[in-house]
Amino acid sequence: MKFLTLALLVGLLNINSLASQEKLVPIRQNERFGLSTLNKEVKVKPVYDKINFGNSPNYFVAFKKDDGNTFKSSLFHLDKVILKDKPYFDYGIYDDVIIAADTTTKKTVKYHNSFYNEKMHLYTKDGVLLTEEYYAFISVFEEASKIKPTSELILFFRDLDDKYSIKIYDTKKKKLVRTLLDKTDEIDFVSDDQLSWALESMRLTYTKEDVFGSMEVKLLDRQFKIISDQKSTIDKKPKKRNYYLDDENIEVPNELEKPIKSRSIPKYDSISKSLKEAGIVKNHKNFIETDYLYFEANWYNKNNYDLGYKNGKVGLIDTKKGEYILPTIYDNIYKVNYFLAFVIEKDNKYGLFFPYTNEIIKPIFDDFPVVVRKTSRNLGYDLIALFDVKTQKLKYYATFDGIKFLVE
């Protein structure tokens, strides 16, 4: 009897665990967004002006208009609020910390958003603020911590006055525990290979006022420790190394180029080497406005695919294979820039084609589909954003099977 009771308890715990991990989807009601399960059970009421997917699975960023043109954002993990009514426009979600990005008029690096100067705060995964000070840039070196067992995480900071710091975050204590370097003028990593940091050591040079330093940090007894820090006085600060420019360009001789293989040419009435590309553009002037659809001709990778026309219909030719991979039965074919996928149009209905898997989603949608999630079908989480072709605005989300997450 005790065994049966225990088995029942374990079963209930497993059911609760599965339920807590159920996937959520942004759902639209009138002009407001919330979150629901794939079975359309509402978990977060549709009260937000916009909901974006986070950069990590099961995270969502919800925006709500404030007075005037300002907004507040909330970060959700599934239906749990991690951060509520904050001024941030984007969140970098890592295994142990969250970087929250706000806008600033001060010129800084543009990491999360190429249209705005940014200032950032650091939070624990539970939403506890770790840095009262805003930073222009925060980088998480989490790969080094995964290679060898340690609860410590290396964090790199650049403040709003262009000073650099390296700090240690303890993932068990959930707080910043040490500062390896504080507000230096420059930092130059001798090696940016995190594998060598974990297995050997992290070597770097730095300048601070009239001091030039050479530091080595090593993972000892599961802690990142300074094992050497040599300093010398300098009269002139060295120039910062440019990581982004190659020292020289090397041309490949023509005789080394691969010979072009002869390929069969499929039959067609006419051919087009220009594909119309469709993509999603964020409204960078107003974060509250939903993303909108755009179309652009002359896809940059057009050498891989051609459009072949027969009897007024279009098909897709794989130029490497020299054959049709989509027959000439469609009215239009578009390239989608988010995933390697094509939108197929037939009789004013839209579908999808994935050339790597030869998977075809038949034209069943009245609105233009753009893939926003493409995962294993076993997760039940293949998701499409549907856009009105005329207004080019987001209308709702749907599964590949045509289930709409739209509350009428």
Side-chain angles (χ1 to χ4, degrees):
M1 186 66 178
K2 289 182 178 179
F3 175 78
L4 183 61
T5 304
L6 179 61
L8 180 60
L9 178 60
V10 171
L12 289 174
L13 289 174
N14 287 336
I15 291 173
N16 289 335
S17 176
L18 289 172
S20 66
Q21 294 299 314
E22 189 167 16
K23 307 299 181 183
L24 299 186
V25 180
I27 190 168
R28 178 182 172 189
Q29 182 177 24
N30 298 326
E31 297 299 322
R32 297 290 182 267
F33 288 88
L35 295 172
S36 80
T37 66
L38 294 172
N39 294 324
K40 296 189 178 182
E41 179 186 354
V42 176
K43 292 293 186 179
V44 176
K45 293 181 179 179
V47 296
Y48 294 95
D49 295 284
K50 180 182 180 182
I51 291 184
N52 287 342
F53 289 92
N55 73 324
S56 185
N58 301 322
Y59 282 85
F60 301 89
V61 182
F63 294 88
K64 187 182 289 187
K65 289 180 181 178
D66 206 342
D67 297 333
N69 293 323
T70 60
F71 65 89
K72 298 289 185 183
S73 69
S74 297
L75 179 65
F76 284 86
H77 178 237
L78 295 173
D79 57 347
K80 178 185 177 183
V81 180
I82 305 299
L83 294 169
K84 185 178 181 181
D85 295 338
K86 299 296 182 181
Y88 312 118
F89 69 86
D90 202 3
Y91 299 83
I93 303 157
Y94 296 86
D95 289 346
D96 299 290
V97 294
I98 296 170
I99 299 174
D102 194 359
T103 60
T104 177
T105 55
K106 185 179 178 68
K107 186 177 181 181
T108 63
V109 293
K110 298 175 180 180
Y111 180 68
H112 287 80
N113 187 302
S114 60
F115 289 81
Y116 286 93
N117 296 312
E118 303 169 11
K119 56 183 181 180
M120 304 175 188
H121 273 146
L122 184 69
Y123 285 86
T124 69
K125 214 55 182 298
D126 301 321
V128 178
L129 183 64
L130 291 168
T131 56
E132 294 285 348
E133 177 184 0
Y134 269 112
Y135 289 89
F137 181 78
I138 303 174
S139 183
V140 182
F141 299 162
E142 59 183 5
E143 291 302 319
S145 302
K146 292 178 181 178
I147 297 169
K148 273 191 173 181
T150 176
S151 63
E152 295 195 340
L153 195 62
I154 300 174
L155 298 171
F156 174 75
F157 297 85
R158 175 183 170 186
D159 67 21
L160 296 179
D161 294 320
D162 288 333
K163 302 294 183 180
Y164 301 87
S165 302
I166 298 178
K167 302 183 181 184
I168 301 297
Y169 175 74
D170 192 304
T171 59
K172 291 183 178 179
K173 296 178 181 179
K174 296 184 178 180
K175 62 180 182 180
L176 296 167
V177 291
R178 293 192 306 285
T179 298
L180 301 183
L181 275 176
D182 188 40
K183 296 187 180 299
T184 64
D185 298 317
E186 295 284 356
I187 288 181
D188 192 1
F189 293 99
V190 176
S191 171
D192 58 0
D193 182 2
Q194 295 191 38
L195 176 63
S196 68
W197 293 359
L199 299 181
E200 300 176 13
S201 62
M202 176 176 71
R203 296 179 176 86
L204 57 93
T205 60
Y206 64 90
T207 58
K208 187 174 182 179
E209 297 176 349
D210 60 346
V211 173
F212 175 79
S214 178
M215 179 180 288
E216 184 175 1
V217 178
K218 194 167 186 177
L219 184 59
L220 298 172
D221 299 325
R222 300 191 176 190
Q223 291 185 330
F224 290 103
K225 297 180 180 180
I226 298 174
I227 60 174
S228 68
D229 186 12
Q230 300 177 358
K231 301 175 184 178
S232 60
T233 304
I234 54 174
D235 297 327
K236 184 178 180 181
K237 295 180 182 179
K239 291 183 178 180
K240 186 176 180 181
R241 187 173 66 186
N242 191 334
Y243 293 94
Y244 305 103
L245 296 178
D246 294 329
D247 293 333
E248 56 181 330
N249 296 319
I250 302 176
E251 287 191 12
V252 178
N254 292 331
E255 59 267 20
L256 295 181
E257 294 181 354
K258 294 182 179 180
I260 300 174
K261 297 180 179 179
S262 59
R263 301 183 180 94
S264 60
I265 302 175
K267 295 181 180 179
Y268 49 79
D269 296 336
S270 63
I271 193 170
S272 172
K273 292 185 175 293
S274 175
L275 285 169
K276 182 177 284 188
E277 184 180 19
I280 300 175
V281 175
K282 295 182 180 297
N283 190 322
H284 298 287
K285 295 181 179 179
N286 187 342
F287 292 107
I288 294 298
E289 291 294 326
T290 58
D291 305 337
Y292 60 92
L293 186 70
Y294 80 93
F295 295 97
E296 183 179 16
N298 296 321
W299 179 39
Y300 69 93
N301 202 18
K302 60 187 178 183
N303 290 332
N304 288 342
Y305 301 98
D306 289 338
L307 297 179
Y309 294 86
K310 284 184 184 179
N311 302 321
K313 298 293 183 179
V314 62
L316 188 66
I317 300 172
D318 186 326
T319 56
K320 291 183 178 180
K321 297 179 180 179
E323 61 184 32
Y324 279 102
I325 53 175
L326 280 178
T328 51
I329 60 173
Y330 300 102
D331 300 319
N332 283 299
I333 296 177
Y334 307 85
K335 172 71 182 68
V336 181
N337 69 353
Y338 268 40
F339 292 84
L340 185 54
F342 294 88
V343 173
I344 50 180
E345 181 183 357
K346 186 177 182 180
D347 300 329
N348 296 320
K349 297 281 187 179
Y350 298 92
L352 288 160
F353 170 63
F354 300 95
Y356 278 176
T357 60
N358 285 323
E359 184 181 11
I360 295 180
I361 309 301
K362 294 182 179 180
I364 59 174
F365 299 102
D366 294 319
D367 298 292
F368 196 94
V370 177
V371 180
V372 291
R373 283 289 185 273
K374 181 71 172 71
T375 58
S376 169
R377 278 293 180 91
N378 295 328
L379 294 177
Y381 200 40
D382 293 334
L383 203 61
I384 305 170
L386 279 301
F387 287 80
D388 188 302
V389 178
K390 293 182 179 178
T391 65
Q392 296 181 281
K393 291 185 177 181
L394 174 68
K395 291 183 68 175
Y396 55 90
Y397 295 93
T399 66
F400 280 14
D401 299 322
I403 300 175
K404 299 179 182 179
F405 297 99
L406 176 67
V407 180
E408 300 294 347

